[in-house]
Amino acid sequence: MRIDKLIQVVLLLAFPASIQAHSSLNNNNSELSEGIRTDVSLTPDHFLQAGVPAGELKGPFEFKSDIYAGTSRRYWVFVPAQYDAKEAASLLVFQDGHRATNPNGSIRIQTVMANLIAQKAMPVTIGLFITPGNLSDAYPNDLGWSNPNHRWQEYDVVNDTYARFLIEEMIPVIAKQYHLTDDPDQRAVGGTSSGAIAAFTAAWFRPDYFRKVYSSIGSFVSIGYRPDEPDMQTGGQDYPAIIRREPIRPLRIFMQDGVNDLDNGWGNWFLANQQMAAAIRYANRHANDQNIAGPRYALKTVWTDGEHNDAHPGALLPEGLRWLWSE
């Protein structure tokens, strides 16, 4: 046996599957050329800085959807102190709003936005933070940080329904109260885990409306694939193939995942995010090679040693929002 083959066999026997996957990607896939970050933690932007106005987080409010009949949900609205009704504000929609707005959590989205707006790292932006629906007449008061029971049906299904819910039902509610932009390049949508694939799906199906995506620990796996359901034959695991074959959307995407993310019956999260990034970069490369006119994806990836929780997604939120609005 050749010595290089012998070394490969020894490594495969010696290291667990997650390290095998990481090693293989690092050797054979340029997506990991920037390395794995191991020093990810909360930043000064997660704490209201001296002289920065806090703005106002309003809510929670309750909303009943017609598109998702029989569900109730809660939402919060962040209004920065710099908001002036005479000027159209940008918009950031973030999923799992109950976790995103937790002042002691990892995301602390209202505080991050307040700091970045004050720094002019992002424009004056209204935040809309929404929970998934719950199949009940009223949103339960005892869920705490747990997920409502209609989450995967909204977040993990690969079709335009969630985008329609946002555009036709939820956003018009706050548009009655606040002067929002008509510019799709100034509308961002984001989330973590299944909230991340929901954000990507909204922008994928409606790039005329959303063109910025914040995706962390994205569930680009088979949660939404239900072989017994005729309208659920496509799941998140199909996105890389779809991206490679469909026309390029004019999207700007910040993507994070950790090498210690989940590996279960739905899929391997880290590998799935790697496949997403590879597909996006292939689509750009193919379009350039073939001199195809039109948009190109803008993509920034950050790979960490994180697990499947909000710690790294939240810690990287300031960096992600800065990059999304840096063009």
Side-chain angles (χ1 to χ4, degrees):
M1 180 180 290
R2 287 169 44 189
I3 187 65
D4 58 337
K5 292 294 185 182
L6 178 60
I7 291 172
Q8 186 179 31
V9 170
V10 171
L11 288 173
L12 288 172
L13 292 173
F15 292 99
S18 61
I19 301 300
Q20 291 177 32
H22 177 190
S23 176
S24 174
L25 286 165
N26 212 11
N27 288 332
N28 301 312
N29 191 317
S30 62
E31 305 306 322
L32 282 183
S33 60
E34 67 268 39
I36 302 296
R37 289 199 198 173
T38 60
D39 58 348
V40 180
S41 59
L42 294 182
T43 73
D45 289 319
H46 291 85
F47 306 88
L48 195 67
Q49 297 297 293
V52 171
E56 186 177 3
L57 181 67
K58 299 183 178 184
F61 306 107
E62 192 146 327
F63 182 80
K64 292 184 180 297
S65 170
D66 291 327
I67 290 175
Y68 292 116
T71 65
S72 60
R73 71 195 65 236
R74 286 179 178 167
Y75 70 94
W76 293 255
V77 178
F78 173 69
V79 185
Q82 298 88 342
Y83 170 73
D84 182 345
K86 297 176 182 177
E87 302 290 335
S90 298
L91 176 66
L92 171 58
V93 179
F94 212 86
Q95 319 325 308
D96 294 307
H98 56 308
R99 295 205 317 270
T101 56
N102 179 1
N104 299 312
S106 299
I107 300 176
R108 309 183 188 194
I109 193 166
Q110 67 273 24
T111 302
V112 170
M113 289 179 66
N115 283 318
L116 296 191
I117 291 169
Q119 298 164 20
K120 300 188 185 304
M122 65 184 294
V124 175
T125 303
I126 297 290
L128 173 59
F129 317 130
I130 318 167
T131 69
N134 199 79
L135 289 166
S136 54
D137 290 335
Y139 191 88
N141 290 318
D142 58 355
L143 280 179
W145 308 120
S146 300
N147 292 323
N149 62 19
H150 205 249
R151 187 171 184 259
W152 78 260
Q153 297 92 326
E154 299 177 14
Y155 284 6
D156 292 288
V157 177
V158 179
N159 60 33
D160 68 348
T161 307
Y162 192 70
R164 288 180 46 238
F165 159 73
L166 292 177
I167 295 167
E168 298 173 18
E169 289 191 330
M170 273 280 20
I171 295 171
V173 171
I174 65 168
K176 293 177 181 178
Q177 300 173 285
Y178 305 101
H179 185 186
L180 301 179
T181 183
D182 291 325
D183 182 357
D185 287 313
Q186 289 302 315
R187 297 192 191 105
V189 59
T192 73
S193 188
S194 290
I197 187 175
F200 181 84
T201 297
W204 177 260
F205 282 96
R206 292 298 304 271
D208 61 312
Y209 199 91
F210 295 108
R211 293 192 180 168
K212 300 183 190 298
V213 179
Y214 183 85
S215 169
S216 278
I217 57 172
S219 299
F220 297 102
V221 293
S222 64
I223 298 172
Y225 168 59
R226 306 285 161 153
D228 296 331
E229 298 288 337
D231 58 345
M232 293 186 185
Q233 296 299 302
T234 302
Q237 80 284 350
D238 295 312
Y239 261 132
I242 294 169
I243 291 166
R244 287 173 182 268
R245 298 175 187 178
E246 286 275 334
I248 292 175
R249 274 69 162 164
L251 302 181
R252 189 170 179 86
I253 305 157
F254 182 93
M255 180 177 291
Q256 177 273 335
D257 197 22
V259 296
N260 297 305
D261 206 338
L262 296 173
D263 183 11
N264 59 29
W266 301 120
N268 182 298
W269 266 247
F270 183 60
L271 294 179
N273 279 270
Q274 292 287 306
Q275 289 274 28
M276 288 289 293
I280 289 167
R281 286 171 172 148
Y282 166 80
N284 282 347
R285 187 170 68 250
H286 175 72
N288 291 338
D289 291 345
Q290 299 299 316
N291 295 315
I292 298 172
R296 300 293 187 266
Y297 295 109
L299 174 68
K300 180 177 176 61
T301 57
V302 178
W303 312 125
T304 75
D305 62 345
E307 300 177 354
H308 196 81
N309 56 48
D310 283 340
H312 287 186
L316 288 165
L317 182 64
E319 177 179 339
L321 294 182
R322 278 195 176 88
W323 182 81
L324 286 173
W325 264 285
S326 64
E327 81 279 20

